[in-house]
Amino acid sequence: MVAPGPVLALVLPLILSADGSAGIDFRFASYFDNYMVLQKEPAGAVIWGFGSPGAIVTVTLCQGQETIMKKVTSVKVHSDTWMVVLDPMKPGGPFEVMAQQTLGRVNLTLRIHDVLFGDVWLCSGQSNMQMTVLQIFNATKELSNVAAYQSVRILSVSLVQAEQELEDLVAVDLQWSKPTSENLGHGNFEYMSAVCWLFGRHLYDTLQYPIGLISSSWGGTPIEAWSSGRPLKACGIHKQGSIPYDSVTGPSKYSVLWNAMIHPLHTMTLKGVVWYQGESNTRYNTDLYNCTFPALIDDWRQTFHLGSLGQTERFFPFGFVQLSSVLSKDNSEDGFPQIRWHQTADFGYVPNVKMPNTFMAVAMDLCDKDSPFGSIHPRDKNTVAYRLHLGARAVAYGEKSVTFQGPLPEKIELSPHKGLLSLTYAQQIQVQKQDNKIFEISCCSDHQCKWLPAPMNTFSTQTLNLSINSCHGTVVALRYAWITWPCEYKQCPLYDPDSTLPAPPFFAFIRDQVPAH
């Protein structure tokens, strides 16, 4: 662990000073370091740090002996900070960034080298985001496959809590680095995040320019710990509740991880965020997740946009992983189907009007009952990352031809006289197997309703008929995969035939004709 802050001895190796002494008052913010990636065009990268009040700071971008640009600012008296915004840069490098502070006759100089310009993605969440490359399927192959990805740079934030919003990180576990087998597989649930790394690797394969990845995750944590007070208040959460649930094993106090592990990054210019969290809310504030998650996204977007002086897009792309599966200890309701639905703000798909510019990786078919880390931690993170990167290509990078979500019905027709419920899908479907239980209908009679299986019947390339003969009342609703463990590994009934993306779970009132609230 590296503690930036005031511990000068740990900063000195990264500093070359014009007069031989860098001075404790002048430094870059903690996450500016050798080997980093700065956000490319069309945005301008924000560079900032701390200095002596009133001093003049000149930031110079160089490549070899050539000066690319200079930016001049002064250190703010009230905060002892300085900040510049670079002109937009094309992807590439390496570059050197030099910052010089002038106060009277004293000049101090800082340098960071091997800096690249590309896209910077922040990865956050709980333990499934925290799992390292060491813990996943084909770990040995993945750890040895780093030579071709030296332009994908990684940074891992230390586990820290704070009662108030911090302006800079207290510590980092892994400073900006080129990938190696050692720093990708440092240990279990340490660094580097496997989902984050593989997502970036897949992006690099497509984009062929530098990618910067920042991992800031903590296992066993509810969304409330990652939220500022603003979204919590907006969702009617005002008081810290007790949390007597085994699903919450990490810090649970409201906002403490936002304060210490996310807010310090809000001045950075980002391309986007990917998120894997929700397990700890399957038994805590579950019914509020359809508010707290969209509210967190909007709050992060606004905070990063303002903090970067408008350089990070106001509605930057935000990707997330819909919860996978877990073996339940008993038959009690564990909240997984509800959280999956609430992750989409109860639409069943993204982007939608409540969650614009978002993308989702469905993971309910990636179960792993034999995982040595518990079934809640499935080891196939490569498929998760691949599905995430498809969403990023479509939503963040505008690739119109990329299919990034599985099939959902666009029309539901009830034919009681035939004993059938007919589903018409918006895209082609591949029926991988017949399943008599994964579709369920809400059957109502005498003012009482119960869920009954609706076995899969006949199908074509875009239609599927369900048998509703088990219902002797009125069919009022339909749901799909509304169970914690809906299928075995990659064996759910419905997939897109080309992308092999699974159909996501959904709930629909029959009168609505489409998946809805």
Side-chain angles (χ1 to χ4, degrees), residues 251-262:
S252 60
K253 195 168 183 179
Y254 294 172
S255 304
V256 292
L257 303 184
W258 160 261
N259 291 339
M261 297 177 65
I262 301 299

Side-chain angles (χ1 to χ4, degrees), residues 185-398:
H186 180 73
N188 293 342
F189 301 104
E190 293 187 9
Y191 56 83
M192 174 65 178
S193 163
V195 169
C196 191
W197 163 252
L198 294 168
F199 170 75
R201 197 197 70 185
H202 285 303
L203 278 185
Y204 180 81
D205 285 340
T206 299
L207 301 172
Q208 291 294 303
Y209 61 69
I211 301 291
L213 302 170
I214 304 167
S215 176
S216 185
S217 308
W218 196 327
T221 51
I223 195 171
E224 292 79 5
W226 296 100
S227 305
S228 77
R230 294 177 293 274
L232 296 180
K233 183 179 179 181
C235 295
I237 302 175
H238 302 289
K239 294 183 179 180
Q240 175 77 45
S242 58
I243 309 186
Y245 301 107
D246 56 7
S247 63
V248 181
T249 58
S252 60
K253 195 168 183 179
Y254 294 172
S255 304
V256 292
L257 303 184
W258 160 261
N259 291 339
M261 297 177 65
I262 301 299
H263 186 267
L265 302 169
H266 80 287
T267 49
M268 174 180 286
T269 311
L270 292 180
K271 175 64 175 180
V273 168
V274 286
W275 171 262
Y276 196 160
Q277 190 277 336
E279 297 91 342
S280 287
N281 284 97
T282 56
R283 292 175 184 252
Y284 179 70
N285 282 345
T286 306
D287 292 340
L288 294 175
Y289 204 89
N290 57 358
C291 179
T292 52
F293 185 39
L296 173 143
I297 294 173
D298 189 63
D299 186 61
W300 282 30
R301 283 172 165 170
Q302 182 173 353
T303 303
F304 275 82
H305 177 69
L306 294 175
S308 65
L309 303 180
Q311 297 305 308
T312 297
E313 292 181 13
R314 172 63 180 86
F315 295 97
F316 62 73
F318 196 109
F320 62 94
V321 182
Q322 194 178 49
L323 292 191
S324 187
S325 303
V326 64
L327 288 175
S328 301
K329 296 179 181 178
D330 50 49
N331 294 324
S332 62
E333 183 56 69
D334 59 16
F336 269 68
Q338 288 77 13
I339 288 294
R340 290 187 190 122
W341 184 243
H342 292 336
Q343 284 178 298
T344 67
D346 299 353
F347 281 81
Y349 58 88
V350 296
N352 57 56
V353 293
K354 288 190 175 181
M355 300 174 66
N357 215 30
T358 58
F359 54 95
M360 174 177 73
V362 176
M364 66 179 183
D365 67 330
L366 302 179
C367 51
D368 186 0
K369 65 179 64 175
D370 298 318
S371 172
F373 314 105
S375 63
I376 200 169
H377 298 121
R379 289 167 290 175
D380 184 357
K381 293 297 191 277
N382 190 35
T383 302
V384 170
Y386 180 78
R387 292 174 180 176
L388 267 178
H389 114 281
L390 290 178
R393 287 170 60 185
V395 174
Y397 296 98

